[in-house]
Amino acid sequence: MYLIFAGVFIAALLISFFLTPLVIKIAAAKGFVDRPNERKMHKVPIPYGGGIAMFIAFIASASLGFAVMWIYRSEASMREILLFTAFCAGSFLAFVIGLIDDIISMPAKVKLLCQIVAVSIVMAFGVSVTFVTNPFGEGLIYFPVFVTIPLTIFWIVGIMNAVNLLDGLDGLLGGVSVISALVFFIVSCMKGQILVACMMAAIAGSALGFLKYNFNPAKIFMGDTGSLFLGMVFAIASVVGGLKTTTTVAFLIPFLIMGFPIIDTAWAIIRRASSRQPIFKPDKGHIHHRLLGLGLTQKQAVCIIYAINLCLGLIAIAICYFTV
């Protein structure tokens, strides 16, 4: 099985690595670029479209991996087929929403509504937070439908936007995605969740192949096309493989793996609410902006965040190791 995962990772890496330069040329020729302004860090127009290369790499490699696993095991349960469909459908819908937003810049409320619709479709394939472990004692806490639906929407939409907001420096989200996907992969393997492990191998390879061109100085940006699709896949993985666990302490695992985006977004909401600013209004108060304000370069700030993200991931792996 690990050979299949390795093949998925390598396939995603190669597709993303060789497809991204082509996307750069096409995006530059068509004027599909992110132009600088007072809020952005870059000084010259940078092509959008990295998310297109990553998405194609993810779908192609994940589909290949799922097909090979099916053949290898001679069967695939209906649950696995539904969850794989959820990953594909969810990532595609998030990809389309992000692509439209990159092209025409949708109003925040319209964008949020589209995300809620996308999550509702994903839930139709069985992705929902139906129970969690009791953090204060033994047993499980089951939710009624009227709690499950809004809770699942809140979690998935929240993770999508947390990941989206993190895309503020060259290579930041790409590198964090590689680290988070690898941690998710290890945890999934430890828990025997092979479908989630396959999806995470595809994400890690796709993001790593793109990172070659996105690390400072960036030659291309992933845009919302990439950040929303990444957020959707991570959110589904956390619901399928992280939140639904029978071990109390393991409930913390998805929060740790996605810890930095969650902390950064929570701080942004508190900061904007306290200053009576619209929650969705962009600003330069994120943690990575604060690091730059201390005099660090983009590369230094990004590497510090990588280290924080990795430490949180290692804690998640340790918790999984001692509780599974």
Side-chain angles (χ1 to χ4, degrees), residues 84-108:
F84 175 71
T85 304
F87 273 109
C88 293
S91 62
F92 175 74
L93 292 171
F95 167 83
V96 171
I97 294 170
L99 182 61
I100 294 173
D101 189 48
D102 285 337
I103 295 173
I104 65 173
S105 188
M106 289 189 290

Side-chain angles (χ1 to χ4, degrees), residues 173-308:
L173 180 53
V176 167
S177 295
V178 173
I179 295 170
S180 297
L182 290 176
V183 172
F184 252 128
F185 171 78
I186 294 172
V187 169
S188 300
C189 289
M190 294 171 69
K191 296 171 69 175
Q193 298 168 335
I194 61 172
L195 177 60
V196 176
C198 180
M199 298 301 105
M200 291 300 101
I203 285 291
S206 302
L208 186 58
F210 165 76
L211 188 59
K212 164 67 171 63
Y213 307 96
N214 182 240
F215 199 74
N216 186 262
K219 299 180 180 65
I220 186 172
F221 292 152
M222 69 172 70
D224 283 9
T225 306
S227 60
L228 290 182
F229 127 70
L230 288 172
M232 175 66 86
V233 175
F234 280 129
I236 295 175
S238 67
V239 171
V240 174
L243 294 177
K244 293 183 177 181
T245 176
T246 57
T247 307
T248 300
V249 182
F251 176 76
L252 297 173
I253 290 175
F255 290 93
L256 287 168
I257 297 176
M258 304 305 299
F260 192 88
I262 291 174
I263 293 171
D264 186 53
T265 300
W267 169 245
I269 293 173
I270 294 171
R271 181 181 67 249
R272 293 169 188 174
S274 62
S275 61
R276 297 183 179 181
Q277 297 291 325
I279 292 178
F280 293 103
K281 182 180 179 180
D283 60 24
K284 298 186 73 171
H286 292 281
I287 296 175
H288 51 270
H289 292 128
R290 300 298 179 94
L291 291 175
L292 294 178
L294 295 175
L296 299 178
T297 65
Q298 282 203 50
K299 289 181 179 179
Q300 291 170 336
V302 165
C303 288
I304 287 175
I305 295 174
Y306 285 176
I308 295 172

